[in-house]
Amino acid sequence: MTLKKYRKQPYDVAEVRRLIEPGPVVLVSSASEGKTNIMTLGWHMMIGFSPALLGCYIDQSNHSYRMVVDSRECVINIPTTDLLEQVIGIGNCSGADTDKFALFGLTAMPATEVGAPLIAECYASFECRLADAHPNPNQPLFVWEIVRAHVAASPRLPKTLHYRGDGEFMLSGREISTRERYPNQRR
């Protein structure tokens, strides 16, 4: 099976929040000491617009934790529904003993600003540098500055995965306009 690769174009990083605020499951790609890894992540949030800041929790037991701490960078990739099997598989194995790009048939593409690779089959890829990392009682909170964004020209509203827990996902990708009903809403 050949997976679709997206041809991306430059995108204003200050507008990245419009793509990520709905909370899609993302694939975090990282690179350190000549090795790459991918992890599935659902615990993230936009926390700033300009600069574009994204926060996420990565548990210390995760193989990606050491890679992002050492390199201080990553790429946040947004997969679409056609990558459901890859998203689940990546989340259920360890990069310590698995080349996830090879195992799941994904293409690592060079980034512009960071050493971690973009995932060609993902709709959008955000190159990130570590802005801050704070421990909390449960896990460290990483704050990433999005320094470069690559987003496919179409579809305008991709069908993305949203994890609900216990093996359940929701799908998004349908616009529901409230402009006529709420003309004074903030945009």
Side-chain angles (χ1 to χ4, degrees), residues 71-123:
S71 68
R72 302 181 60 81
E73 57 188 28
C74 71
V75 176
I76 307 290
N77 300 276
I78 300 179
T80 53
T81 57
D82 57 324
L83 294 179
L84 177 64
E85 296 302 319
Q86 287 82 358
V87 166
I88 293 169
I90 288 166
N92 285 306
C93 68
S94 172
D97 54 18
T98 304
D99 177 347
K100 294 183 186 183
F101 278 98
L103 182 62
F104 296 103
L106 298 174
T107 309
M109 299 291 296
T112 306
E113 304 287 330
V114 302
L118 284 67
I119 300 174
E121 293 80 7
C122 286
Y123 172 80

Short mmCIF file of all heavy atoms in Angstrom, two decimals, residues 71-123:
data_model
loop_
_atom_site.label_atom_id
_atom_site.label_comp_id
_atom_site.label_asym_id
_atom_site.label_seq_id
_atom_site.Cartn_x
_atom_site.Cartn_y
_atom_site.Cartn_z
N SER A 71 18.48 16.98 22.24
CA SER A 71 18.55 17.80 21.03
C SER A 71 17.89 19.17 21.20
O SER A 71 18.19 20.10 20.45
CB SER A 71 17.90 17.08 19.85
OG SER A 71 16.50 16.97 20.06
N ARG A 72 16.95 19.28 22.14
CA ARG A 72 16.19 20.51 22.40
C ARG A 72 15.36 20.94 21.19
O ARG A 72 15.11 22.13 20.97
CB ARG A 72 17.11 21.63 22.88
CG ARG A 72 17.87 21.27 24.15
CD ARG A 72 18.76 22.37 24.65
NE ARG A 72 18.06 23.59 24.99
CZ ARG A 72 17.40 23.82 26.13
NH1 ARG A 72 17.34 22.89 27.05
NH2 ARG A 72 16.81 24.98 26.34
N GLU A 73 14.93 19.95 20.39
CA GLU A 73 14.10 20.24 19.23
C GLU A 73 13.31 19.01 18.82
O GLU A 73 13.60 17.89 19.25
CB GLU A 73 14.94 20.75 18.06
CG GLU A 73 16.03 19.80 17.63
CD GLU A 73 16.99 20.40 16.61
OE1 GLU A 73 17.20 21.63 16.60
OE2 GLU A 73 17.53 19.60 15.83
N CYS A 74 12.27 19.24 18.00
CA CYS A 74 11.46 18.15 17.47
C CYS A 74 10.63 18.70 16.32
O CYS A 74 10.69 19.89 16.01
CB CYS A 74 10.55 17.56 18.55
SG CYS A 74 9.20 18.65 19.06
N VAL A 75 9.85 17.83 15.70
CA VAL A 75 8.86 18.25 14.71
C VAL A 75 7.53 17.68 15.16
O VAL A 75 7.43 16.48 15.47
CB VAL A 75 9.21 17.77 13.28
CG1 VAL A 75 8.10 18.15 12.30
CG2 VAL A 75 10.54 18.36 12.82
N ILE A 76 6.52 18.53 15.24
CA ILE A 76 5.16 18.11 15.56
C ILE A 76 4.45 17.93 14.21
O ILE A 76 4.30 18.89 13.45
CB ILE A 76 4.42 19.18 16.40
CG1 ILE A 76 5.21 19.56 17.65
CG2 ILE A 76 2.99 18.72 16.71
CD1 ILE A 76 5.30 18.51 18.71
N ASN A 77 4.04 16.70 13.91
CA ASN A 77 3.41 16.36 12.64
C ASN A 77 1.94 16.03 12.87
O ASN A 77 1.61 15.32 13.83
CB ASN A 77 4.10 15.13 12.04
CG ASN A 77 5.57 15.36 11.77
OD1 ASN A 77 5.94 15.90 10.75
ND2 ASN A 77 6.43 14.95 12.72
N ILE A 78 1.07 16.51 11.99
CA ILE A 78 -0.36 16.23 12.11
C ILE A 78 -0.76 15.18 11.08
O ILE A 78 -0.80 15.47 9.87
CB ILE A 78 -1.21 17.50 11.93
CG1 ILE A 78 -0.84 18.54 12.99
CG2 ILE A 78 -2.70 17.15 12.01
CD1 ILE A 78 -1.60 19.84 12.87
N PRO A 79 -1.06 13.95 11.54
CA PRO A 79 -1.50 12.91 10.61
C PRO A 79 -3.00 13.06 10.31
O PRO A 79 -3.74 13.67 11.08
CB PRO A 79 -1.23 11.62 11.38
CG PRO A 79 -1.40 12.01 12.82
CD PRO A 79 -0.92 13.44 12.91
N THR A 80 -3.43 12.48 9.22
CA THR A 80 -4.85 12.43 8.88
C THR A 80 -5.37 11.01 9.13
O THR A 80 -4.61 10.10 9.47
CB THR A 80 -5.07 12.85 7.42
OG1 THR A 80 -4.22 12.06 6.59
CG2 THR A 80 -4.77 14.33 7.22
N THR A 81 -6.65 10.83 8.95
CA THR A 81 -7.30 9.56 9.28
C THR A 81 -6.74 8.37 8.51
O THR A 81 -6.79 7.25 9.00
CB THR A 81 -8.82 9.63 9.04
OG1 THR A 81 -9.06 9.99 7.67
CG2 THR A 81 -9.46 10.66 9.94
N ASP A 82 -6.16 8.61 7.33
CA ASP A 82 -5.60 7.49 6.57
C ASP A 82 -4.35 6.91 7.23
O ASP A 82 -3.89 5.84 6.84
CB ASP A 82 -5.33 7.87 5.11
CG ASP A 82 -4.41 9.07 4.96
OD1 ASP A 82 -4.49 10.00 5.78
OD2 ASP A 82 -3.62 9.07 4.01
N LEU A 83 -3.83 7.56 8.27
CA LEU A 83 -2.67 7.04 9.01
C LEU A 83 -3.06 6.44 10.36
O LEU A 83 -2.21 6.25 11.22
CB LEU A 83 -1.65 8.16 9.21
CG LEU A 83 -0.97 8.70 7.96
CD1 LEU A 83 0.01 9.81 8.32
CD2 LEU A 83 -0.26 7.60 7.19
N LEU A 84 -4.33 6.10 10.54
CA LEU A 84 -4.80 5.56 11.82
C LEU A 84 -3.97 4.35 12.27
O LEU A 84 -3.53 4.29 13.42
CB LEU A 84 -6.27 5.17 11.76
CG LEU A 84 -6.84 4.53 13.03
CD1 LEU A 84 -6.80 5.50 14.21
CD2 LEU A 84 -8.27 4.04 12.79
N GLU A 85 -3.72 3.39 11.39
CA GLU A 85 -2.96 2.20 11.77
C GLU A 85 -1.54 2.56 12.19
O GLU A 85 -1.01 2.00 13.15
CB GLU A 85 -2.95 1.17 10.62
CG GLU A 85 -4.32 0.63 10.27
CD GLU A 85 -5.03 -0.04 11.44
OE1 GLU A 85 -4.38 -0.77 12.21
OE2 GLU A 85 -6.25 0.18 11.59
N GLN A 86 -0.93 3.50 11.48
CA GLN A 86 0.43 3.93 11.84
C GLN A 86 0.42 4.65 13.19
O GLN A 86 1.29 4.42 14.03
CB GLN A 86 1.01 4.85 10.75
CG GLN A 86 1.41 4.13 9.49
CD GLN A 86 0.24 3.86 8.54
OE1 GLN A 86 -0.91 4.17 8.81
NE2 GLN A 86 0.56 3.23 7.42
N VAL A 87 -0.55 5.53 13.41
CA VAL A 87 -0.65 6.27 14.68
C VAL A 87 -0.76 5.29 15.85
O VAL A 87 -0.06 5.42 16.85
CB VAL A 87 -1.86 7.24 14.65
CG1 VAL A 87 -2.19 7.77 16.04
CG2 VAL A 87 -1.58 8.40 13.70
N ILE A 88 -1.62 4.30 15.72
CA ILE A 88 -1.79 3.30 16.78
C ILE A 88 -0.53 2.47 16.95
O ILE A 88 -0.04 2.26 18.07
CB ILE A 88 -3.02 2.41 16.50
CG1 ILE A 88 -4.30 3.25 16.61
CG2 ILE A 88 -3.06 1.23 17.47
CD1 ILE A 88 -5.54 2.55 16.09
N GLY A 89 0.03 2.00 15.85
CA GLY A 89 1.24 1.18 15.93
C GLY A 89 2.41 1.92 16.54
O GLY A 89 3.13 1.38 17.39
N ILE A 90 2.61 3.16 16.13
CA ILE A 90 3.72 3.97 16.68
C ILE A 90 3.54 4.14 18.18
O ILE A 90 4.51 4.09 18.94
CB ILE A 90 3.79 5.33 15.94
CG1 ILE A 90 4.33 5.11 14.53
CG2 ILE A 90 4.65 6.34 16.72
CD1 ILE A 90 4.14 6.30 13.60
N GLY A 91 2.30 4.32 18.62
CA GLY A 91 2.04 4.51 20.04
C GLY A 91 2.17 3.24 20.87
O GLY A 91 2.20 3.30 22.10
N ASN A 92 2.26 2.10 20.20
CA ASN A 92 2.31 0.83 20.92
C ASN A 92 3.64 0.08 20.78
O ASN A 92 3.70 -1.12 21.01
CB ASN A 92 1.16 -0.07 20.46
CG ASN A 92 -0.16 0.39 21.04
OD1 ASN A 92 -0.30 0.54 22.24
ND2 ASN A 92 -1.12 0.66 20.17
N CYS A 93 4.69 0.79 20.39
CA CYS A 93 6.02 0.17 20.36
C CYS A 93 7.05 1.21 20.77
O CYS A 93 6.77 2.40 20.79
CB CYS A 93 6.33 -0.44 18.99
SG CYS A 93 6.56 0.73 17.64
N SER A 94 8.24 0.75 21.09
CA SER A 94 9.29 1.64 21.57
C SER A 94 10.33 1.91 20.49
O SER A 94 10.77 0.98 19.80
CB SER A 94 9.99 1.04 22.79
OG SER A 94 11.12 1.82 23.14
N GLY A 95 10.73 3.16 20.38
CA GLY A 95 11.79 3.53 19.46
C GLY A 95 13.16 3.07 19.94
O GLY A 95 14.13 3.16 19.19
N ALA A 96 13.24 2.58 21.17
CA ALA A 96 14.52 2.09 21.68
C ALA A 96 15.01 0.88 20.88
O ALA A 96 16.21 0.68 20.73
CB ALA A 96 14.40 1.73 23.16
N ASP A 97 14.06 0.10 20.35
CA ASP A 97 14.44 -1.10 19.60
C ASP A 97 13.73 -1.21 18.25
O ASP A 97 13.74 -2.26 17.63
CB ASP A 97 14.16 -2.35 20.44
CG ASP A 97 12.71 -2.42 20.94
OD1 ASP A 97 11.84 -1.71 20.39
OD2 ASP A 97 12.46 -3.17 21.89
N THR A 98 13.12 -0.11 17.78
CA THR A 98 12.36 -0.14 16.54
C THR A 98 12.64 1.10 15.71
O THR A 98 12.58 2.21 16.23
CB THR A 98 10.84 -0.19 16.85
OG1 THR A 98 10.56 -1.30 17.69
CG2 THR A 98 10.01 -0.29 15.59
N ASP A 99 12.92 0.91 14.42
CA ASP A 99 12.98 2.04 13.48
C ASP A 99 11.56 2.26 13.01
O ASP A 99 11.06 1.56 12.12
CB ASP A 99 13.91 1.71 12.31
CG ASP A 99 13.96 2.82 11.26
OD1 ASP A 99 13.11 3.75 11.28
OD2 ASP A 99 14.85 2.75 10.39
N LYS A 100 10.88 3.21 13.62
CA LYS A 100 9.46 3.41 13.33
C LYS A 100 9.20 3.94 11.93
O LYS A 100 8.17 3.63 11.33
CB LYS A 100 8.84 4.32 14.39
CG LYS A 100 8.83 3.67 15.78
CD LYS A 100 8.14 4.55 16.78
CE LYS A 100 8.25 4.01 18.19
NZ LYS A 100 7.52 4.83 19.16
N PHE A 101 10.13 4.73 11.38
CA PHE A 101 9.95 5.18 9.99
C PHE A 101 9.89 3.96 9.07
O PHE A 101 8.99 3.84 8.24
CB PHE A 101 11.08 6.12 9.56
CG PHE A 101 10.87 7.54 10.01
CD1 PHE A 101 11.50 8.02 11.15
CD2 PHE A 101 10.04 8.40 9.30
CE1 PHE A 101 11.32 9.33 11.57
CE2 PHE A 101 9.84 9.71 9.71
CZ PHE A 101 10.49 10.17 10.85
N ALA A 102 10.82 3.04 9.21
CA ALA A 102 10.87 1.85 8.35
C ALA A 102 9.69 0.92 8.62
O ALA A 102 9.02 0.48 7.68
CB ALA A 102 12.19 1.10 8.56
N LEU A 103 9.43 0.63 9.91
CA LEU A 103 8.37 -0.32 10.25
C LEU A 103 7.00 0.13 9.76
O LEU A 103 6.20 -0.69 9.31
CB LEU A 103 8.33 -0.54 11.77
CG LEU A 103 7.29 -1.54 12.28
CD1 LEU A 103 7.55 -2.94 11.71
CD2 LEU A 103 7.28 -1.58 13.80
N PHE A 104 6.72 1.44 9.83
CA PHE A 104 5.39 1.92 9.47
C PHE A 104 5.32 2.58 8.10
O PHE A 104 4.32 3.19 7.75
CB PHE A 104 4.88 2.86 10.58
CG PHE A 104 4.70 2.13 11.87
CD1 PHE A 104 5.62 2.27 12.90
CD2 PHE A 104 3.65 1.24 12.06
CE1 PHE A 104 5.49 1.58 14.09
CE2 PHE A 104 3.50 0.54 13.24
CZ PHE A 104 4.42 0.71 14.26
N GLY A 105 6.39 2.43 7.29
CA GLY A 105 6.37 2.91 5.91
C GLY A 105 6.26 4.41 5.77
O GLY A 105 5.66 4.89 4.80
N LEU A 106 6.84 5.15 6.70
CA LEU A 106 6.77 6.61 6.65
C LEU A 106 8.07 7.18 6.10
O LEU A 106 9.13 6.58 6.24
CB LEU A 106 6.48 7.17 8.04
CG LEU A 106 5.13 6.73 8.63
CD1 LEU A 106 4.99 7.21 10.07
CD2 LEU A 106 3.97 7.24 7.78
N THR A 107 7.98 8.35 5.49
CA THR A 107 9.12 8.98 4.85
C THR A 107 9.63 10.14 5.68
O THR A 107 8.90 11.11 5.93
CB THR A 107 8.72 9.50 3.45
OG1 THR A 107 8.09 8.44 2.73
CG2 THR A 107 9.92 10.02 2.70
N ALA A 108 10.89 10.06 6.11
CA ALA A 108 11.53 11.16 6.84
C ALA A 108 12.04 12.17 5.82
O ALA A 108 12.78 11.83 4.91
CB ALA A 108 12.69 10.62 7.67
N MET A 109 11.60 13.41 5.99
CA MET A 109 12.03 14.50 5.11
C MET A 109 12.86 15.49 5.92
O MET A 109 12.52 15.76 7.07
CB MET A 109 10.81 15.22 4.53
CG MET A 109 9.89 14.33 3.69
SD MET A 109 10.63 13.80 2.15
CE MET A 109 10.80 15.36 1.32
N PRO A 110 13.91 16.05 5.34
CA PRO A 110 14.73 17.00 6.10
C PRO A 110 13.94 18.26 6.44
O PRO A 110 13.17 18.77 5.63
CB PRO A 110 15.89 17.31 5.16
CG PRO A 110 15.53 16.79 3.84
CD PRO A 110 14.41 15.82 3.99
N ALA A 111 14.15 18.73 7.65
CA ALA A 111 13.54 19.99 8.10
C ALA A 111 14.43 21.14 7.66
O ALA A 111 15.59 20.93 7.24
CB ALA A 111 13.38 19.97 9.61
N THR A 112 13.93 22.35 7.78
CA THR A 112 14.66 23.54 7.38
C THR A 112 15.45 24.13 8.54
O THR A 112 16.59 24.56 8.38
CB THR A 112 13.68 24.61 6.86
OG1 THR A 112 12.89 24.04 5.84
CG2 THR A 112 14.41 25.81 6.31
N GLU A 113 14.84 24.13 9.74
CA GLU A 113 15.41 24.82 10.90
C GLU A 113 15.93 23.90 12.00
O GLU A 113 16.68 24.35 12.86
CB GLU A 113 14.35 25.76 11.52
CG GLU A 113 13.78 26.77 10.56
CD GLU A 113 14.75 27.88 10.22
OE1 GLU A 113 15.60 28.21 11.05
OE2 GLU A 113 14.65 28.40 9.09
N VAL A 114 15.49 22.65 12.02
CA VAL A 114 15.87 21.73 13.10
C VAL A 114 16.41 20.42 12.51
O VAL A 114 16.22 20.14 11.33
CB VAL A 114 14.67 21.44 14.05
CG1 VAL A 114 14.13 22.73 14.66
CG2 VAL A 114 13.57 20.67 13.35
N GLY A 115 17.05 19.62 13.36
CA GLY A 115 17.62 18.37 12.91
C GLY A 115 16.64 17.22 12.86
O GLY A 115 16.90 16.20 12.22
N ALA A 116 15.51 17.33 13.53
CA ALA A 116 14.49 16.28 13.51
C ALA A 116 13.79 16.28 12.15
O ALA A 116 13.62 17.33 11.53
CB ALA A 116 13.47 16.50 14.63
N PRO A 117 13.37 15.10 11.66
CA PRO A 117 12.75 15.03 10.34
C PRO A 117 11.25 15.34 10.34
O PRO A 117 10.55 15.11 11.33
CB PRO A 117 12.98 13.57 9.94
CG PRO A 117 12.98 12.84 11.24
CD PRO A 117 13.61 13.77 12.24
N LEU A 118 10.77 15.85 9.22
CA LEU A 118 9.34 15.97 8.96
C LEU A 118 8.85 14.60 8.50
O LEU A 118 9.63 13.80 7.98
CB LEU A 118 9.07 16.97 7.84
CG LEU A 118 9.17 18.47 8.13
CD1 LEU A 118 10.57 18.90 8.43
CD2 LEU A 118 8.63 19.23 6.94
N ILE A 119 7.57 14.33 8.65
CA ILE A 119 6.98 13.11 8.13
C ILE A 119 6.18 13.49 6.88
O ILE A 119 5.19 14.22 6.97
CB ILE A 119 6.08 12.42 9.18
CG1 ILE A 119 6.90 12.07 10.43
CG2 ILE A 119 5.42 11.18 8.58
CD1 ILE A 119 6.07 11.52 11.59
N ALA A 120 6.64 13.02 5.71
CA ALA A 120 6.06 13.42 4.42
C ALA A 120 4.58 13.08 4.33
O ALA A 120 3.82 13.80 3.68
CB ALA A 120 6.83 12.77 3.28
N GLU A 121 4.14 12.00 4.95
CA GLU A 121 2.76 11.56 4.83
C GLU A 121 1.79 12.33 5.75
O GLU A 121 0.59 12.10 5.70
CB GLU A 121 2.67 10.06 5.14
CG GLU A 121 3.35 9.18 4.11
CD GLU A 121 4.87 9.08 4.27
OE1 GLU A 121 5.43 9.60 5.28
OE2 GLU A 121 5.52 8.49 3.40
N CYS A 122 2.31 13.21 6.57
CA CYS A 122 1.45 14.01 7.46
C CYS A 122 1.02 15.29 6.77
O CYS A 122 1.77 15.88 5.99
CB CYS A 122 2.17 14.32 8.77
SG CYS A 122 2.28 12.88 9.85
N TYR A 123 -0.18 15.73 7.09
CA TYR A 123 -0.77 16.93 6.49
C TYR A 123 0.03 18.19 6.81
O TYR A 123 0.17 19.07 5.97
CB TYR A 123 -2.21 17.06 7.01
CG TYR A 123 -2.88 18.35 6.61
CD1 TYR A 123 -3.41 18.50 5.34
CD2 TYR A 123 -2.97 19.42 7.49
CE1 TYR A 123 -4.03 19.68 4.96
CE2 TYR A 123 -3.58 20.60 7.12
CZ TYR A 123 -4.11 20.73 5.85
OH TYR A 123 -4.71 21.90 5.48
#
